[in-house]
Amino acid sequence: MASKLEEDFSCPVCCDVFKDPVLLSCSHSMCDACLQQFWKSKGARECPVCRRRSSREFPPQNLVLKNLCETFLQERSRRASAGSEVLCSLHSEKLKLFCLEDNQPVCVVCQASKKHTNHKFQPVDEAAADLKEELNIRLKILQKNLQELDDAKLTCGKTAETIKIQVQNTEKQIKEEFKKLHQFLRDEEAARIAALREEEEQKSQMMKRQIEKMSREISSLSDKIRAVEEKMGADDITFLQNYKSTVEHRPPRKRRKPTEGTQWVSWL
């Protein structure tokens, strides 16, 4: 009874329960989407059942059939949810087969429908076992990939930590080396400045002694000059009387022995 009712509510194009059914002038009904797709593929507006041409581009909805189909689907869903087994949503039959082309469980009525023409089927338990085995193989591959990624992530984390420690150690070593270098440069600077100060002191003392010596000589010469000037200022007799003693007087420092006739010039 359910199968006969299912056929009454099935679209002749898609073989499923009507969705938004429309009514043609020939009294045949089908899903609006199925009709538009059929017309598009044929290139002509004709009925998919009787091939009678339709004068309307957009046929009216079959509201009565639409309401009946919705009621039928609701009742079938209620019966399926109330039962202990999942039933086919189209035929309210047990899902005993698995369509290998559509990858979905179907009932024996679906197997005989146009929608599954020339399709291959497997019993539900065999199909489930095969697919579970296939998925289990894929699952193991995914688990292996996950483990490899976890290991790679752990290795990267350890490498990053090692790099961080190496950078810290290298930075510490660089700072220590530059600290030693700075101390060496400070010590070298201090040593060179000290040597420069010592050299300055030695040269300053030498220049001081030279200045003192020259100052004494300047003082002595100044005294001699004043004495000669005083004698030159005397009257001629006194000057001539003292001339010999004046020109024969030698300065206190050592000088080359003057030659005859140049005593006055050399001494002065």
Side-chain angles (χ1 to χ4, degrees), residues 2-3 6 72-73 75-80 86-95 107 109-110:
S3 299
E6 183 81 27
F72 170 75
L73 291 174
E75 180 62 22
R76 188 177 63 186
S77 176
R78 186 189 64 79
R79 290 199 309 269
V86 179
L87 302 180
C88 175
S89 61
L90 297 177
H91 310 108
S92 300
E93 298 288 341
K94 292 182 180 180
L95 300 174
C107 66
V109 180
C110 291

Side-chain angles (χ1 to χ4, degrees), residues 82-136:
S84 59
E85 295 182 349
V86 179
L87 302 180
C88 175
S89 61
L90 297 177
H91 310 108
S92 300
E93 298 288 341
K94 292 182 180 180
L95 300 174
K96 296 182 178 181
L97 300 172
F98 184 77
C99 178
L100 298 178
E101 275 72 18
D102 295 334
N103 288 324
Q104 63 179 10
V106 296
C107 66
V108 292
V109 180
C110 291
Q111 182 185 19
S113 66
K114 293 181 180 179
K115 182 179 179 180
H116 295 279
T117 301
N118 297 326
H119 287 189
K120 294 182 179 181
F121 300 88
Q122 261 189 317
V124 168
D125 55 348
E126 292 182 7
D130 291 344
L131 293 178
K132 284 181 180 180
E133 183 178 357
E134 179 182 346
L135 285 179
N136 189 46

Side-chain angles (χ1 to χ4, degrees), residues 42-247:
K42 294 290 290 184
R45 293 197 298 270
E46 60 181 29
C47 175
V49 179
C50 65
R51 296 295 189 271
R52 181 176 176 178
R53 293 185 65 83
S54 174
S55 59
R56 294 185 178 184
E57 182 178 358
F58 299 103
Q61 280 191 332
N62 191 338
L63 295 178
V64 175
L65 181 59
K66 179 181 180 182
N67 293 334
L68 289 174
C69 289
E70 291 177 352
T71 302
F72 170 75
L73 291 174
Q74 291 174 0
E75 180 62 22
R76 188 177 63 186
S77 176
R78 186 189 64 79
R79 290 199 309 269
S81 60
S84 59
E85 295 182 349
V86 179
L87 302 180
C88 175
S89 61
L90 297 177
H91 310 108
S92 300
E93 298 288 341
K94 292 182 180 180
L95 300 174
K96 296 182 178 181
L97 300 172
F98 184 77
C99 178
L100 298 178
E101 275 72 18
D102 295 334
N103 288 324
Q104 63 179 10
V106 296
C107 66
V108 292
V109 180
C110 291
Q111 182 185 19
S113 66
K114 293 181 180 179
K115 182 179 179 180
H116 295 279
T117 301
N118 297 326
H119 287 189
K120 294 182 179 181
F121 300 88
Q122 261 189 317
V124 168
D125 55 348
E126 292 182 7
D130 291 344
L131 293 178
K132 284 181 180 180
E133 183 178 357
E134 179 182 346
L135 285 179
N136 189 46
I137 295 174
R138 295 184 180 182
L139 179 62
K140 289 181 179 179
I141 295 175
L142 293 176
Q143 291 173 341
K144 181 181 179 181
N145 292 339
L146 177 61
Q147 184 62 43
E148 291 176 352
L149 286 175
D150 287 338
D151 294 342
K153 180 180 178 182
L154 181 61
T155 301
C156 288
K158 291 181 179 179
T159 303
E161 186 65 24
T162 301
I163 292 173
K164 182 178 180 181
I165 295 174
Q166 289 177 345
V167 168
Q168 291 176 346
N169 292 336
T170 304
E171 180 182 357
K172 182 179 179 181
Q173 182 179 0
I174 291 173
K175 288 182 177 180
E176 291 178 352
E177 290 178 354
F178 271 91
K179 182 178 179 181
K180 294 178 181 179
L181 180 59
H182 292 160
Q183 185 60 45
F184 169 78
L185 292 176
R186 286 192 294 268
D187 295 342
E188 186 69 15
E189 177 187 12
R192 294 194 179 189
I193 291 176
L196 181 63
R197 293 285 184 262
E198 183 178 357
E199 182 180 359
E200 177 190 15
E201 180 65 22
Q202 292 175 355
K203 291 182 178 180
S204 296
Q205 291 296 329
M206 184 177 66
M207 290 297 102
K208 182 178 179 181
R209 290 192 295 269
Q210 291 289 341
I211 291 172
E212 291 176 351
K213 182 178 180 181
M214 286 187 288
S215 295
R216 290 193 298 269
E217 292 182 356
I218 290 172
S219 178
S220 176
L221 288 175
S222 297
D223 292 342
K224 300 302 179 182
I225 290 171
R226 283 194 300 272
V228 171
E229 288 176 346
E230 289 178 0
K231 292 181 178 182
M232 289 178 65
D235 59 85
D236 293 342
I237 298 299
T238 304
F239 169 73
L240 293 174
Q241 289 177 344
N242 295 325
Y243 172 74
K244 185 178 181 179
S245 62
T246 299
V247 296

